[in-house]
Amino acid sequence: MSAPTTEPQLGPIDRYFRISERGSTVPRELRGGLVTFFTMAYIVVLNPIIIGGVVGNSKNVDVLGNVLPTAQVAAVTALAAGLMCIVFGAIVNYPFGIAAGLGVNSLLAVSIAPQVTWPEAMGLVVIDGIIIVLLGVTGFRTAVFRAIPAELKAAIAAGIGCFIAFIGFVDAGFVRRIPDAAGTTVPVGLGIGNSVAAWPTAVFVFGVLLIGVLVVRKVPGAILLGIVITTIVALIVQKVAGLGPSFKDPHGWSLNIPELPSSLGGLPDLSLVGEVDVFGAFTRIGVLAASVLVFALVLSNFFDAMGTITGLTKEADLMREDGTVPNIGKALAVEGAGAIVGGGASASSNTVFVESASGIAEGARTGLANIVTGVLFLAAMFFTPLYEVVPSEAAAPALVIVGAMMLGQLKDIDWTKFYVVLPVFLTVVSMPFTYSIANGIGIGFITWVVMAVARGKAKEVHPLLWIVSGLFLLYFAKEPIEVLFGI
């Protein structure tokens, strides 16, 4: 008589995060979390550049002439990202890293802070987060998610792939803006003078080809290994060439200069935490004007995160066959809390990062990877020089490779139906061309509705899609409306 077979005994971590159930392993989750951190870590450097500054830097000055100190912004950026990554991973159990969103922080620096003080601007972010959480808890956000046609969900995923690839190209200097003084109608070009004339860009090209070869050869940990090797090459290049930052010399490094640190860091300055005035903006600029700013924040946050979650769940194969996502309501509610945490810490609204796709490509499928990413962000507060060893040019190749992978989401599109092709195409190309996930979603929604009306199928469009398309029309016409009503 043969012995009875027994089920393998799973450890508590495996059971909690459902690692084996999702076809992953603990080492894959650890690698995935590490890769996601490497591709997201730039935000700790970039966010202070966008919303922080020094006295005299008028770009980041609020209505009273005050600035957010760069070092403090870096510290709270890492703090908020670390906390939100851990909370999202533990509660929602998805490998989606969270940090200060580039869209909202730019909106704060360019459009909102010049009208109010920085604490008042962060107060508007907190209000935005409260509204987003309420929309998630009440189920409205989930209902909108379910109303999106399958073709548009695929387009959003592919568009995000193009977007993160474009981010990689720009961060590495492979694609550069051509100055208006050049007298050309071409907005961007290849490298410098249409050639790869800078060593950092050459390092990026090497990284793309290296990771591509490792992926084709099915080397375990291909993306992480590629980032490590490319970083070593960058260190050697820097040792030989002695380059500076690109804002001083276009032949230099984009953000981080790859050099071994002389020290590991020190205690972070978290004095900006709690420097928030929730209602001050309504007194300073009026209820109507402040409400318009909140509307812009909500719409941007609402659809940026929804689009990113759509793309990432499809890429991680976590989406059900009917196009729904398990725990989507919880995911959207917790993600919305990122705006409250980010605003409360003066780090700007925190949201799901498209760069998480790099960790997913490395094998991450659960929240354990997110916890790894979060712990590394918290450590980054104390060890700033250590993570700055990895330049953007070494992390950006992972974004390009993952972007190429995400284009596979378009394989099920029926390319013979132009009423499907047009909104899908516009969704995909608008994201990188306008540097905004929300813009791509809005353009896709509006075009889908117009195509349905043109075919006499208006009644087949979900009512929520009509409502959201109308809101996007208001969003895109925000400036004329403000002029019309004197806001």
Side-chain angles (χ1 to χ4, degrees), residues 362-384:
E362 193 61 50
R365 294 294 181 272
T366 76
L368 178 59
N370 237 45
I371 290 178
V372 172
T373 302
V375 169
L376 290 172
F377 266 118
L378 294 180
M381 292 191 300
F382 302 89
F383 300 104
T384 301

Side-chain angles (χ1 to χ4, degrees), residues 458-476:
K459 292 183 179 180
E460 295 182 5
V461 178
H462 196 287
L464 283 177
L465 211 59
W466 280 98
I467 294 172
V468 172
S469 296
L471 290 174
F472 267 115
L473 284 174
L474 292 175
Y475 177 68
F476 292 140

Side-chain angles (χ1 to χ4, degrees), residues 61-346:
V61 172
D62 68 12
V63 70
L64 298 181
N66 298 319
V67 298
L68 296 177
T70 300
Q72 286 91 317
V73 174
V76 295
T77 298
L79 173 66
L83 293 177
M84 285 308 306
C85 283
I86 291 171
V87 170
F88 193 87
I91 295 178
V92 186
N93 196 23
Y94 285 147
F96 304 162
I98 295 181
L102 289 177
V104 172
N105 61 9
S106 299
L107 182 63
L108 284 175
V110 176
S111 301
I112 296 180
Q115 303 180 56
V116 297
T117 66
W118 275 113
E120 290 165 355
M122 293 302 171
L124 294 178
V125 173
V126 171
I127 294 173
D128 155 50
I130 293 172
I131 294 173
I132 290 291
V133 170
L134 290 175
L135 292 175
V137 171
T138 57
F140 178 78
R141 213 174 177 194
T142 304
V144 172
F145 182 90
R146 291 174 177 167
I148 302 173
E151 294 89 346
L152 285 184
K153 286 181 179 177
I156 290 169
I160 289 173
C162 291
F163 182 45
I164 64 174
F166 190 59
I167 290 173
F169 284 134
V170 172
D171 286 352
F174 190 78
V175 171
R176 300 180 187 234
R177 182 177 180 272
I178 298 176
D180 296 335
T184 175
T185 57
V186 180
V188 294
L190 171 65
I192 300 173
N194 203 41
S195 66
V196 182
W199 275 112
T201 305
V203 169
F204 161 77
V205 173
F206 167 80
V208 171
L209 296 177
L210 172 65
I211 297 177
V213 169
L214 294 176
V215 170
V216 168
R217 300 294 298 176
K218 300 186 182 335
V219 176
I223 294 177
L224 177 58
L225 183 59
I227 292 175
V228 171
I229 294 175
T230 307
T231 299
I232 294 172
V233 172
L235 286 167
I236 295 172
V237 168
Q238 176 60 19
K239 189 69 175 177
V240 174
L243 303 172
S246 61
F247 68 86
K248 291 185 178 179
D249 178 2
H251 295 83
W253 302 95
S254 177
L255 285 176
N256 302 344
I257 296 176
E259 294 176 327
L260 294 176
S262 57
S263 64
L264 292 181
L267 292 176
D269 184 344
L270 301 176
S271 58
L272 288 178
V273 175
E275 291 293 313
V276 179
D277 185 346
V278 177
F279 302 109
F282 293 86
T283 302
R284 184 178 300 277
I285 62 175
V287 174
L288 182 58
S291 298
V292 169
L293 295 178
V294 171
F295 173 75
L297 288 170
V298 169
L299 204 62
S300 178
N301 263 357
F302 189 103
F303 288 102
D304 263 359
M306 183 175 293
T308 303
I309 290 175
T310 298
L312 295 178
T313 49
K314 285 183 70 66
E315 189 64 20
D317 200 24
L318 297 174
M319 189 174 285
R320 299 190 184 105
E321 291 185 4
D322 62 358
T324 60
V325 177
N327 291 331
I328 184 60
K330 187 187 296 184
L332 294 172
V334 175
E335 185 280 332
I340 300 175
V341 172
S346 298

